[in-house]
Amino acid sequence: MHPMVKPALRRGWRDLNTVQFGMTPAHALTLGPVDTATGSFLDLLNGTRGLALLREEGRRMDLPDGHVDTLVTRLARAGLLDDARGGGPPADALRGRKEALARLGPDLASLSLTTSGPGEAMGRLAARRRLRVQVRGAGRVGALLAALLSGAGVGEVDVRDDGRVEPGDVAPGGLPAEAVGERRDTAARRAARRAAAERPPRRAVGARGVAKPAGTAGPAGAAGEPGFSLVLLTPRDDVAVHAPAPSVAAPLVASGTPHLHAGVVEATGVVGPLVLPGETGCAGCLHEGRRERDPVWPRLVAQWQSGKSRHVRACDLTLATTVAGLAAAHALAFLDGGLPSTAGARWETSLPTLQWHARPVRAHSACPCGAAEKGKAEHTSMEGESHETMAGLRSPTEPCRTAGTPRPAGTWRAHV
């Protein structure tokens, strides 16, 4: 282990004997009392030295025997330390790709703040390279979402849509102006590839002669095609955003493929639900719940679907970009092993106030997905971080995360 205090955490002295790591309440921790020698020793925790050399440095600074190991252990348990060489062989392979790692450096720094174990952040970033996701719908939301996931290190991002790129599809970070007239899915895939920090890992040949990325798991597709860790449904049709047809996602539910809905309808952005088949509410549950609350709901949906479509659907550029960004963040949170708040809920915001609201999508007994039978909250559990309190690890006066703060964790994990 080559320990280093997480570089993403700003450090400051609250007084002569107390150090604060981090600025925001979600991540800040304090260490104290800290004597002068220990404060100087903290500067040596920069990832360039192993524990043996750190012990030598500690003796040279007249620190008590065992002090270095105690300090390193408890800082690590508090989530303040990273390992400059941790993460396993996949992380070592990523470190060898200097240009790609330089591009992904800010993402790695962010991951270090949402993980606790030394080397865990690099391990998760390296794991993204082995993931396979699909985006269905390549309008202003879908094309940008695909580029964001690819740029964040997801190894393979497939995009599916029909038709050709229209002038109204062009958006910064998504489909460029020169793509107008091209096949929509082809142009979106190209945009995703251009956003990637590196070429996706070479795909191995499966038992049926179908290439697949090393480590891909999950439900298999047609002709032995490997399954997706996550499918993102981003239709350009505003009716499909507001009232997603259960039949569209039914094959995903049947195959057990996690999927996330997102899009823009009129002047409202929607992200969610993230559907974990058999665990959380799906499009069918959403439809049944709405019909239960409003008996005329099916009649309205039928009219919206059969009515003559307007020439240009409303899709504000900045709202579409906001939706794509939030959907990408929720997708990455899931792919990295977390359980974002879109699991069983839709987040909605409307122009011009842009206040986000969570709309629960509860599992419905009339829906054949089976989530209602599973019971509540089986996919969420609370696991505490069993941190010891150092003579000194405590919360500062401002609200900060303290050692032992529980974090949610789910039984669902992205297939790697």
Side-chain angles (χ1 to χ4, degrees):
M1 180 178 176
H2 283 62
M4 62 179 177
V5 176
K6 293 181 177 180
L9 291 172
R10 296 274 187 173
R11 192 191 313 177
W13 289 84
R14 297 185 64 84
D15 54 45
L16 293 177
N17 300 304
T18 309
V19 185
Q20 178 172 320
F21 298 89
M23 296 184 289
T24 62
H27 305 110
L29 278 172
T30 59
L31 173 64
V34 177
D35 56 56
T36 302
T38 301
S40 299
F41 181 81
L42 289 174
D43 293 330
L44 303 182
L45 298 176
N46 56 14
T48 62
R49 300 169 179 83
L51 284 173
L53 184 54
L54 286 172
R55 293 185 189 107
E56 290 181 15
E57 295 285 356
R59 285 191 291 269
R60 191 175 297 116
M61 299 171 69
D62 294 326
L63 294 176
D65 291 342
H67 184 76
V68 170
D69 289 86
T70 300
L71 179 65
V72 168
T73 298
R74 292 183 175 176
L75 286 176
R77 288 179 178 177
L80 290 173
L81 283 191
D82 209 340
D83 182 358
R85 298 188 183 181
D92 292 336
L94 180 56
R95 288 189 188 95
R97 299 178 177 271
K98 302 296 184 183
E99 292 184 5
L101 188 57
R103 282 272 302 273
L104 295 169
D107 301 273
L108 176 61
S110 178
L111 277 171
S112 75
L113 301 181
T114 59
T115 56
S116 57
E120 188 178 352
M122 179 62 84
R124 289 192 181 183
L125 187 63
R128 288 182 183 180
R129 300 176 66 233
R130 301 161 56 199
L131 297 176
R132 186 169 186 253
V133 304
Q134 185 181 73
V135 179
R136 298 184 182 179
R140 283 186 164 185
V141 173
L144 177 54
L145 175 55
L148 288 171
L149 294 175
S150 182
V154 175
E156 183 178 351
V157 181
D158 181 44
V159 186
R160 300 293 173 92
D161 206 341
D162 54 14
R164 297 188 177 275
V165 178
E166 300 175 0
D169 296 319
V170 174
L175 297 173
E178 55 268 25
V180 173
E182 293 185 28
R183 284 180 53 92
R184 191 184 302 275
D185 53 0
T186 300
R189 289 173 194 149
R190 185 188 308 117
R193 288 195 300 271
R194 286 177 177 173
E198 60 174 339
R199 290 185 178 182
R202 182 174 298 177
R203 301 175 71 189
V205 177
R208 301 188 185 182
V210 178
K212 72 176 184 177
T216 299
E225 181 183 6
F228 296 102
S229 298
L230 181 66
V231 172
L232 298 111
L233 304 174
T234 57
R236 291 176 288 114
D237 178 21
D238 51 0
V239 177
V241 173
H242 186 58
S247 59
V248 172
L252 298 174
V253 173
S255 65
T257 304
H259 49 284
L260 174 66
H261 297 263
V264 173
V265 48
E266 296 173 347
T268 295
V270 179
V271 179
L274 168 64
V275 181
L276 309 179
E279 298 282 346
T280 64
C282 65
C285 297
L286 176 65
H287 177 76
E288 294 294 340
R290 282 173 164 172
R291 182 170 63 176
E292 192 174 76
R293 295 189 301 270
D294 184 2
V296 303
W297 170 256
R299 184 189 309 166
L300 289 172
V301 174
Q303 293 177 70
W304 294 333
Q305 292 174 336
S306 62
K308 186 177 180 180
S309 62
R310 297 181 297 276
H311 181 64
V312 178
R313 292 186 175 92
C315 187
D316 179 84
L317 179 60
T318 57
L319 181 60
T321 303
T322 299
V323 168
L326 185 62
H330 280 251
L332 289 171
F334 172 72
L335 294 171
D336 289 337
L339 192 68
S341 59
T342 41
R346 280 163 59 107
W347 283 94
E348 300 178 2
T349 188
S350 300
L351 296 173
T353 59
L354 293 173
Q355 294 181 343
W356 287 96
H357 302 279
R359 315 290 187 189
V361 180
R362 296 182 176 86
H364 200 283
S365 58
C367 180
C369 73
E373 300 174 4
K374 255 322 207 187
K376 282 187 176 182
E378 197 172 301
H379 62 282
T380 58
S381 63
M382 299 298 289
E383 59 183 11
E385 298 168 345
S386 56
H387 296 318
E388 292 182 20
T389 304
M390 189 176 182
L393 276 179
R394 65 178 185 274
S395 174
T397 305
E398 294 179 19
C400 291
R401 184 177 61 83
T402 58
T405 301
R407 293 175 179 170
T411 59
W412 277 86
R413 289 294 182 268
H415 299 299
V416 178

